[in-house]
Amino acid sequence: MSDETLETDYLVVGAGAAGMAFADALLALSNATLTIVDRRHAPGGHWIDAYPFVRLHQPSAFYGVSSMPLGQDVRDLTGTNAGYYELAGADEVRAYFAHVMRRRFLPSGRVRYFPCSEYLGDGRFVSRYTQASWKVSVRRKVVDTTYLEGTVPATSAPPFEVADGVRCVPAGDVTRIPERPERFVVIGAGKTALDTCVWLLEQDVPAPSIRWIKPREARWLNRRFQQPLALLPESYRGTAIQLEAMAEATSVEDLFARLEAKGFFLRVDPGVAPTMFRGAVISEAELNLLRQIEDVVRLGHVVRIERDEIVLDEGRVPTNDATVHIHCASRGLMRRPVRPIFEARHVTVQPFLWAFACYQFAMLGAIEALVESDEEKNRLCPPIAYWDADRDYLCAFLATLANERARTAYPALANWAKETRLNPFGGIGHHRDAAEVIDARECIKRYAAAAAGNLAHLITKNAART
Ligand SMILES: Cc1cc2nc3c(=O)[nH]c(=O)nc-3n(C[C@H](O)[C@H](O)[C@H](O)COP(=O)(O)OP(=O)(O)OC[C@H]3O[C@@H](n4cnc5c(N)ncnc54)[C@H](O)[C@@H]3O)c2cc1C
């Protein structure tokens, strides 16, 4: 059977948050036609397979696509997010992206969407369920949002062996286990493991029944400083706190010590130095819950789970048939060599700012639409790796300062960044006369240039040492 042919300006591979945010900005700012292809059956990317109790770790107010709000901009009244702006759960995020596709993209008449379709490269994709195949003639560019695609426990086997008869489930399946276990062993140190521990405690599982296997200790961002709308002044103060610390720190360690002292960064165990930093956000209420878990195993990664013991890199701990082991140990987002984001026929979506995902990926769509040459586009946004350790935070923050400066030469882009709902600080003008905003603004003015200079110095000093 021969390929059916299609013509389009842009072929977007992946209908996850990155593909949707990029496509939305391009639709709004150009007359381009788009074809969106994804192997999953619905838009939303990894959210389609997310564990049932996951929520965004940042407020809904600045997640998703620029043209459509997510959530009602209300504050939670109960639970570990009480007082802070709402965080959409997986069902809401899935419904939202379906809505964006059905109500905005498809009715525009400029988008064709092919779910359940595998992209093979070179403009070709095939249906996963029929013999149908397509060859796309792409007038402008292929937008690849899959270069750094991560994995989630629901769709990836655990990175350790599991002997026959061992009860081991991916994070989401803990909501469906048929018999009550005596103990839970949560395996992983990232956001999925943290969410799982919090969820178990919220179900009144006694903390002594939970063992937490943490190969690394993580740093977390304090949700207090990641708030929109009425709470935006506090987030703005967070920027001032960071810049002051960046201007004055004498080493990477000193910078984090200063920011931790101000409550900007959190860690569950104050006695253990964090070696992992993925940029996830938690509340102090979650932190207090997690500190109830005292049975923490720090013997490296799990290698194998036997019926009677768990074998780790640096030791063994006992287990038994009455224990459920919960796999929260997926790799997460990929760290691959950075490559230019904009090329003649190709966009490779990668991070380039210290910012939440949707804002930066929508900005790439805006840059594609509003900036003339690929050379200028790449000058505006040299790619960076997803953050994984302390030093990455410094590099990403420095990249953001450089991007903000460079953006001022492109008024349409600067204006887009100011107006989009995805920019957490877009609404700060509404609070311009609040005393704490005036103080923070003074502080930002005082320290911004020194912070940029000192960050570059600390990065070089740190690289020379390691
Ligand atoms: C549990 C969890 C919670 C998170 N919460 C937040 C948050 O609150 N805020 C935030 O900013 N970030 C968050 N993140 C980070 C996350 O990176 C972004 O939220 C975002 O959803 C990632 O979207 P993406 O499009 O880059 O990747 P994905 O969601 O992985 O989408 C990539 C898509 O490409 C498709 N694809 C891949 N290869 C092919 C192929 N060959 N052919 C066809 N289709 C293909 C896949 O099917 C997939 O749908 C979270 C991540 C996780 C795992």
Side-chain angles (χ1 to χ4, degrees), residues 136-359:
V136 191
S137 166
V138 181
R139 286 186 287 262
R140 311 274 322 248
K141 292 180 181 179
V142 174
V143 180
D144 178 10
T145 71
T146 71
Y147 185 62
L148 302 176
E149 187 183 2
T151 53
V152 290
T155 54
S156 65
F160 45 80
E161 286 173 47
V162 180
D164 285 349
V166 169
R167 295 169 78 187
C168 180
V169 297
D173 286 7
V174 72
T175 58
R176 289 183 277 268
I177 46 177
E179 292 156 39
R180 185 173 56 204
E182 275 173 23
R183 281 176 72 73
F184 295 87
V185 175
V186 178
I187 303 167
K191 184 67 170 52
T192 306
L194 182 144
D195 284 348
T196 303
C197 290
V198 168
W199 184 80
L200 289 170
L201 293 166
E202 284 176 338
Q203 307 319 304
D204 289 331
V205 171
S209 305
I210 303 173
R211 166 171 284 171
W212 191 355
I213 297 187
K214 278 194 205 183
R216 301 199 274 170
E217 185 69 23
R219 243 181 239 297
W220 309 94
L221 288 159
N222 187 343
R223 191 165 294 134
R224 172 187 299 276
F225 297 106
Q226 310 294 335
Q227 293 297 306
L229 301 160
L231 300 180
L232 186 54
E234 184 68 348
S235 306
Y236 196 57
R237 193 171 73 83
T239 302
I241 289 173
Q242 289 175 90
L243 288 170
E244 180 176 353
M246 285 168 179
E248 298 194 332
T250 53
S251 65
V252 173
E253 295 75 17
D254 180 43
L255 172 60
F256 279 95
R258 286 167 187 258
L259 291 172
E260 224 179 291
K262 296 277 187 188
F264 188 82
F265 287 122
L266 303 172
R267 64 173 124 160
V268 176
D269 189 337
V272 180
T275 53
M276 169 171 159
F277 178 47
R278 296 269 171 87
V281 186
I282 67 171
S283 67
E284 284 154 284
E286 283 174 299
L287 196 76
N288 291 335
L289 266 186
L290 291 164
R291 285 181 175 160
Q292 293 175 12
I293 301 175
E294 291 181 358
D295 184 359
V296 177
V297 176
R298 298 179 192 279
L299 293 170
H301 293 89
V302 172
V303 177
R304 197 167 60 250
I305 310 181
E306 305 281 5
R307 294 280 289 264
D308 58 351
E309 66 176 5
I310 303 173
V311 182
L312 299 108
D313 290 335
E314 294 155 28
R316 295 160 187 260
V317 289
T319 191
N320 59 34
D321 291 347
T323 298
V324 164
H325 308 83
I326 308 172
H327 155 37
C328 306
S330 291
R331 185 188 57 213
L333 294 161
M334 289 268 273
R335 277 168 67 89
R336 294 176 68 180
V338 294
R339 47 175 295 171
I341 293 179
F342 296 98
E343 292 168 279
R345 312 283 297 166
H346 210 84
V347 179
T348 307
V349 171
Q350 295 156 88
F352 63 102
L353 296 176
W354 172 248
F356 291 112
C358 294
Y359 178 44

Side-chain angles (χ1 to χ4, degrees), residues 16-18 38-40 45-46 57-58 63 117-119 146 149 357:
D38 199 303
R39 65 162 74 103
R40 284 188 162 100
H46 70 80
H57 55 88
Q58 59 155 97
Y63 193 84
S117 299
E118 183 73 24
Y119 183 64
T146 71
E149 187 183 2

